[in-house]
Amino acid sequence: MTLKFFNTLGREKKEFSPIDKSGKNVSMYSCGPTVYNYVHIGNLRAYIFVDLLKRYLKFKGYNVKHVMNLTDVDDKTIRDSQKEEKSLKEFTEFYSRAFMEDIKALNILLPDVMPKATDHIKEMVELIERMKAQGKTYEKNGTTYCKITEVDGYGELACLDCQQLKANADGRLNDADEYEKDDARDFALWKAYEEKDGDVFWETSLGKGRPGWHIECSAMSTKHLGEQFDIHTGGVDLIFPHHTNEIAQTESATGKKWVNYWLHNAHLIVNGEKMSKSLGNFYTLRDLTTKGYDPRSIRFELLKTHYRVQLDFREDELKQIPDTLNKFDEVISKLNSAKSGETNIDCKKFLLEFEEEMDDDLNISGGLAVVFDMIKEINKSIDSDGIKNKEEVIDALKKLDSVLGIMSFDAEEIPEEIVSLADRRLAAKKERDWAAADKLRDEIKSKGYEILDDKEGYRLKKA
Ligand code: AMP
Ligand code: ZN
């Protein structure tokens, strides 16, 4: 089976083949958050997508080295740390910790390396010096710029040429000067110190100042993954200018093709509109958990739409998700207590079908449909003549969940006192003493448990 990804570079689905000759190791970089605030659920959608991608690569048997940076120096971090009268470090460390808490709560696997921009100033300067040595930069008033007219193939990722051609075809952009103006998009690699930067500056061979945003990612990714690696991710808003400029910098410094697969997630919007504080539709994870939504439901909501499809987030929909997730919990709890029976569930078939769907650019809706079909079949078999290959079924569900990260396999510890009440209730039912049985059910409920009748007698779960 062939794994394919939609590669923004070239705008087509392409078979995935890693650089590593053994074919086993995959290197991947994701643009991380700018740590000046709590991230919003749109940002978290981007990281849930990365998590799904990484988990699926592992499911396919690859070893993945994943690097995700923290942008801890830029205009916003400097501006807001000053507003709060905190040092840049103290300020950004607070939001870095908050970010770690958010991704852990959403069961997102931690990256192998999480470099901070401020720890990589030396590497950034070295990269700019390499560009400079090749005539790809110029300096003006202490700021070093990238000279894009000197960069071969500038804008290929963003398809700037195609856009120009398209625009020309429309007859709207027929003035060549219009495109010439793109030279104005030369961007800062190293920014000269300004008063408003306060105590945030570095004295380097490029002068006193601080790095531009784009150079941060080029330096951190090549330091930790090498001058060529497999996958780079981010939201669609990063295609231009951020990723376009990252490519320009890195490839002009190294002279090599940098990244083979560029994967971008579509945005999350809210009730059909862009999320913004002024519209009052801006959510952080904390906003939602404070309202009582559980992180597992939020994970599922962010996961279940294909990453390249815009996700229209509606708070109402979150309320329905626990019912869906209960299906997982119930089937696992039933499997744990089911006696062995006659039917063999064809786990291999379900796993293969899941893989076939996911191989197609992470087609999560197809993948989830397979998982729900499997659950239906498990339930049907338990309720008729029982399952013969129970252990294999549990293992297959675990394998599927290594990609989804939403099931819970820990058998719930039910206190003995509750089990004994449930046994007494079962005995009362057998003696047709319904009043006693109802009383015992109420007592169990008052202690926080729910009793569900089934073929074996009963099942207990936390209410
Ligand atoms: P930032 O901190 O703004 O650089 O954003 C961090 C990540 O979140 C980037 O990959 C962005 O492309 C992504 N992102 C920002 N807004 C949204 C959104 N509304 N939906 C999905 N991804 C987003
Ligand atoms: Zn980046």
Side-chain angles (χ1 to χ4, degrees):
M1 271 192 280
T2 328
L3 174 59
K4 284 190 181 158
F5 293 131
F6 182 86
N7 195 349
T8 306
L9 191 63
R11 300 286 195 283
E12 61 177 0
K13 270 191 204 167
K14 249 182 90 181
E15 185 175 329
F16 178 67
S17 162
I19 296 168
D20 171 51
K21 287 204 180 69
S22 75
K24 286 190 185 142
N25 300 306
V26 174
S27 41
M28 167 168 143
Y29 182 84
S30 307
C31 291
T34 306
V35 279
Y36 74 110
N37 210 331
Y38 294 109
V39 294
H40 57 66
I41 54 168
N43 302 131
L44 290 168
R45 181 192 196 195
Y47 303 121
I48 289 275
F49 148 60
V50 171
D51 191 49
L52 181 68
L53 168 63
K54 184 160 93 179
R55 284 168 176 266
Y56 190 61
L57 287 164
K58 288 175 183 244
F59 175 97
K60 294 286 286 180
Y62 292 113
N63 303 313
V64 183
K65 179 167 181 190
H66 181 217
V67 178
M68 179 160 81
N69 74 296
L70 296 169
T71 298
D72 63 347
V73 56
D74 77 331
D75 293 342
K76 289 176 283 194
T77 45
I78 294 174
R79 181 195 64 201
D80 291 359
S81 62
Q82 288 170 349
K83 258 191 222 157
E84 288 196 17
E85 297 181 350
K86 290 194 175 120
S87 72
L88 184 70
K89 190 172 158 64
E90 187 190 352
F91 177 79
T92 54
E93 279 183 352
F94 176 84
Y95 288 109
S96 303
R97 272 196 300 277
F99 175 65
M100 297 303 282
E101 283 164 19
D102 285 355
I103 60 173
K104 279 186 199 150
L106 288 178
N107 198 20
I108 291 174
L109 300 179
L110 291 184
D112 301 286
V113 192
M114 290 189 84
K116 289 192 287 186
T118 51
D119 289 338
H120 294 74
I121 302 295
K122 186 172 103 345
E123 288 79 0
M124 294 176 205
V125 173
E126 277 167 13
L127 209 61
I128 300 169
E129 291 288 2
R130 282 170 79 182
M131 292 173 69
K132 193 172 160 185
Q134 293 172 69
K136 313 278 180 181
T137 68
Y138 61 92
E139 190 246 294
K140 225 180 199 174
N141 300 326
T143 291
T144 304
Y145 292 93
C146 174
K147 193 172 185 178
I148 63 163
T149 47
E150 291 299 316
V151 176
D152 291 340
Y154 181 81
E156 191 189 345
L157 181 77
C159 218
L160 293 182
D161 277 353
C162 333
Q163 279 171 16
Q164 188 208 12
L165 283 176
K166 201 168 147 232
N168 275 334
D170 287 351
R172 272 189 243 140
L173 189 71
N174 47 17
D175 182 353
D177 288 340
E178 236 359 79
Y179 195 63
E180 280 306 298
K181 259 188 10 189
D182 287 352
D183 279 3
R185 288 176 307 176
D186 286 351
F187 57 93
L189 299 162
W190 185 260
K191 295 184 170 184
Y193 178 74
E194 293 174 78
E195 282 300 311
K196 67 178 172 60
D197 294 343
D199 61 359
V200 180
F201 63 85
W202 288 264
E203 296 274 10
T204 73
S205 58
L206 299 164
K208 176 177 173 179
R210 60 185 172 93
W213 173 35
H214 314 305
I215 198 72
E216 298 187 0
C217 285
S218 290
M220 287 185 272
S221 59
T222 50
K223 157 113 191 247
H224 296 282
L225 295 172
E227 292 187 351
Q228 293 179 295
F229 58 89
D230 297 306
I231 304 176
H232 195 312
T233 75
V236 281
D237 54 305
L238 298 189
I239 298 173
F240 184 83
H242 186 51
H243 288 165
T244 299
N245 292 349
E246 281 186 33
I247 295 174
Q249 297 160 159
T250 323
E251 295 191 352
S252 27
T254 66
K256 296 178 198 156
K257 178 168 181 189
W258 182 36
V259 173
N260 286 339
Y261 300 86
W262 288 86
L263 272 61
H264 291 100
N265 63 278
H267 270 192
L268 173 146
I269 54 167
V270 178
N271 296 321
E273 287 175 315
K274 191 173 184 302
M275 191 165 42
S276 81
K277 286 209 166 112
S278 57
L279 288 171
N281 64 359
F282 184 94
Y283 296 98
T284 63
L285 182 62
R286 281 143 225 264
D287 294 335
L288 293 171
T289 49
T290 310
K291 286 185 177 185
Y293 298 109
D294 96 85
R296 187 165 76 134
S297 298
I298 299 164
R299 175 178 173 90
F300 190 68
E301 174 64 18
L302 299 179
L303 188 78
K304 72 184 183 12
T305 302
H306 189 274
Y307 77 93
R308 283 194 297 115
V309 174
Q310 190 164 282
L311 166 62
D312 194 357
F313 178 83
R314 291 171 196 268
E315 203 185 312
D316 268 5
E317 275 188 19
L318 272 186
K319 298 192 177 113
Q320 320 299 327
I321 291 183
D323 289 343
T324 310
L325 297 181
N326 271 343
K327 290 190 184 142
F328 296 121
D329 298 341
E330 273 171 26
V331 84
I332 292 165
S333 130
K334 268 183 170 180
L335 274 167
N336 281 336
S337 56
K339 299 194 179 72
S340 72
E342 300 300 318
T343 309
N344 261 314
I345 304 276
D346 191 348
C347 296
K348 276 210 184 91
K349 180 195 83 167
F350 286 115
L351 285 168
L352 277 176
E353 283 176 6
F354 177 79
E355 194 172 341
E356 223 167 281
E357 295 291 350
M358 294 293 287
D359 269 358
D360 180 14
D361 193 31
L362 306 177
N363 178 13
I364 188 69
S365 19
L368 282 171
V370 173
V371 178
F372 286 118
D373 279 352
M374 182 171 176
I375 288 176
K376 217 189 270 167
E377 192 169 320
I378 299 171
N379 278 323
K380 212 169 86 193
S381 305
I382 293 181
D383 294 342
S384 55
D385 50 4
I387 294 179
K388 204 169 174 182
N389 58 339
K390 202 173 97 171
E391 298 305 320
E392 193 191 345
V393 173
I394 292 177
D395 284 349
L397 286 176
K398 282 187 178 163
K399 176 99 176 131
L400 293 169
D401 194 54
S402 68
V403 179
L404 304 175
I406 39 178
M407 299 184 203
S408 164
F409 291 88
D410 303 332
E412 209 177 334
E413 282 282 339
I414 310 280
E416 277 201 17
E417 181 203 356
I418 307 292
V419 177
S420 136
L421 287 171
D423 283 343
R424 277 171 53 202
R425 177 174 169 273
L426 189 63
K429 267 178 68 184
K430 278 186 184 147
E431 283 166 21
R432 303 186 157 267
D433 185 351
W434 309 120
D438 284 350
K439 234 177 115 199
L440 284 158
R441 174 194 285 272
D442 290 345
E443 195 176 341
I444 290 168
K445 198 169 173 196
S446 73
K447 293 184 189 293
Y449 288 85
E450 196 182 342
I451 186 158
L452 307 159
D453 296 314
D454 70 9
K455 255 181 48 184
E456 273 91 38
Y458 63 80
R459 253 181 342 109
L460 286 162
K461 66 172 204 170
K462 274 217 174 84

